[in-house]
């Protein structure tokens, strides 16, 4: 087995995360991995935000404000929303940046961005960190988009909660390959 295959076979999300978060040198390498995502027509339809420290508290305030948003109020416990970014010492926001191109529909740009965020997740876990990819209604809320500086042509692919795993999550059962792979024609 190669290191890459080992890393993939050992990948698992970790919801309980604490300090330390990755340092800048690790992040630089991780984002170089993100830039290896397959990318039809080289549109580079992605960018990332790194949030830590006071930024996490500020993001919590943004999340809490969605409950009172007059246009699109989010059902939820305001205090819980305020605290939710504090579940990890770092959040990486993966953003899809849609470009107009005659041969590359939006879905392909979503996929390219998601592959990149997957590489970020895998690279961080290979470097010894814990990661959990989260979205939920907050990822699609206009108030959150505005606060994070997204344009009308951008969307959130995911919030990667990042840190050091405090305890290993019980492993998720994986389907057997025969359940989801067939030959065609049969
Ligand atoms: C696009 C995307 C969004 C997700 N959003 C959430 C989420 O909001 N909350 C959550 O608990 N898990 C979410 N997950 C699933 C977890 O990240 C994780 O993959 C799942 O719990 C299975 O665990 P595993 O990664 O160890 O297989 C999301 C996964 C993806 C790919």
């Amino acid at each position: 087995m190669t290191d890459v295959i080992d890393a993939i076979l050992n990948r698992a999300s970790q919801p309980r995360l604490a300090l330390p978060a990755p340092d800048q040198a690790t992040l630089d390498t991780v984002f170089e991995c993100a830039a290896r995502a397959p990318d039809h027509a080289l549109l580079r339809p992605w960018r990332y935000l790194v949030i830590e420290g006071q930024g996490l508290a500020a993001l919590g305030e943004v999340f809490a404000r969605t409950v009172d948003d007059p246009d699109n109020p989010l059902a939820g416990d305001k205090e819980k929303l305020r605290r939710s970014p504090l579940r990890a010492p770092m959040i990486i926001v993966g953003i899809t940046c849609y470009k107009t191109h005659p041969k590359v529909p939006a879905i392909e740009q979503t996929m390219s961005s998601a592959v990149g965020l997957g590489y970020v997740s895998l690279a961080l876990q290979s470097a010894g960190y814990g990661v959990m990819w989260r979205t939920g209604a907050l990822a699609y809320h206009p108030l959150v988009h505005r606060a994070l500086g997204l344009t009308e042509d951008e969307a959130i692919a995911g919030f990667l909660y990042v840190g050091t795993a405090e305890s290993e999550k019980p492993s998720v059962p994986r389907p057997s390959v025969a359940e989801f792979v067939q030959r065609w024609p049969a």
Side-chain angles (χ1 to χ4, degrees), residues 1 4 10 12 20 35 43 65 82 104 107 125 130 154 164 178:
M1 289 287 177
V4 174
N10 286 312
L43 296 180
R65 286 213 310 272
R82 184 175 280 118
V104 189
I107 189 168
Q125 291 185 62
E154 293 182 323
T164 298

Side-chain angles (χ1 to χ4, degrees), residues 11-14 132-136 140 157-158 169-170 172 174:
R11 190 209 64 79
S13 303
Q14 297 300 339
M132 178 97 185
W133 184 333
R134 297 180 188 274
T135 49
Y140 311 112
K169 184 192 69 158
V172 171
R174 310 292 173 179

